[in-house]
């Protein structure tokens, strides 16, 4: 607990400083995530073009997995309806997904 205005000012400045650092780190993390995603897309394109699921390069193992994830419009799907399964199939859509994993080779 602050005993006077001077301590309160010091605490406030410290809070502001830490919030600024946090915002800067978040911005850096967002930029790193964006770069990682771009590089994974590039790797994915290479692996698809060469029809490879696994490659060993310079001490790394690159794994590529293509799969489809089922998704549907939850507003259109009504579980209690007698034709619920039919509605599910009608509004269900397969979303193509790709996963690229890079790990140190054994």
């Amino acid at each position: 607990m602050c005993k006077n205005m001077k301590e309160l000012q010091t605490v406030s400045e410290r809070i502001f400083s830490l919030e600024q650092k946090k915002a800067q780190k978040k911005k850096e993390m967002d930029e790193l995530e964006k770069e990682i995603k771009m590089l994974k897309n590039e790797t994915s394109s290479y692996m698809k073009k060469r029809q490879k699921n696994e490659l060993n390069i310079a001490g790394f193992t690159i794994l590529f997995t293509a799969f489809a994830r089922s998704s549907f419009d939850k507003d259109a799907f009504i579980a209690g309806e007698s034709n619920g399964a039919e509605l599910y199939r009608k509004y269900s859509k397969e979303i193509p997904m790709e996963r690229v994993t890079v790990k140190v080779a054994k």
Side-chain angles (χ1 to χ4, degrees):
M1 187 161 146
C2 299
K3 295 180 182 177
N4 55 38
M5 290 298 283
K6 180 92 171 148
E7 286 182 14
L8 181 61
Q9 180 182 355
T10 306
V11 169
S12 301
E13 289 171 357
R14 181 72 177 147
I15 290 170
F16 181 76
S17 170
L18 291 174
E19 289 289 336
Q20 292 293 87
K21 279 185 179 181
K22 181 180 173 183
Q24 183 64 29
K25 294 287 182 186
K26 182 174 181 350
K27 184 177 176 184
E28 288 175 20
M29 290 297 291
D30 290 344
E31 289 172 4
L32 287 174
E33 288 293 327
K34 185 177 178 181
E35 186 176 356
I36 288 169
K37 185 174 183 176
M38 181 187 71
L39 291 171
K40 282 188 173 186
N41 285 340
E42 212 173 294
T43 304
S44 172
S45 296
Y46 180 89
M47 300 288 275
K48 277 194 298 190
K49 185 176 182 179
R50 301 219 171 20
Q51 298 180 351
K52 298 286 184 179
N53 291 332
E54 183 175 336
L55 286 175
N56 292 317
I57 300 174
F60 293 103
T61 301
I62 302 169
L63 303 169
F64 171 73
T65 308
F67 59 96
R69 185 183 64 161
S70 183
S71 179
F72 63 93
D73 183 356
K74 67 180 180 185
D75 297 328
F77 178 64
I78 303 168
E81 293 287 325
S82 59
N83 60 347
E86 182 182 315
L87 284 173
Y88 177 80
R89 281 191 297 280
K90 180 178 177 183
Y91 291 101
S92 180
K93 54 187 166 184
E94 295 291 317
I95 300 172
M97 304 286 290
E98 298 170 348
R99 181 178 297 133
V100 174
T101 307
V102 178
K103 58 184 179 179
V104 178
K106 293 180 181 179

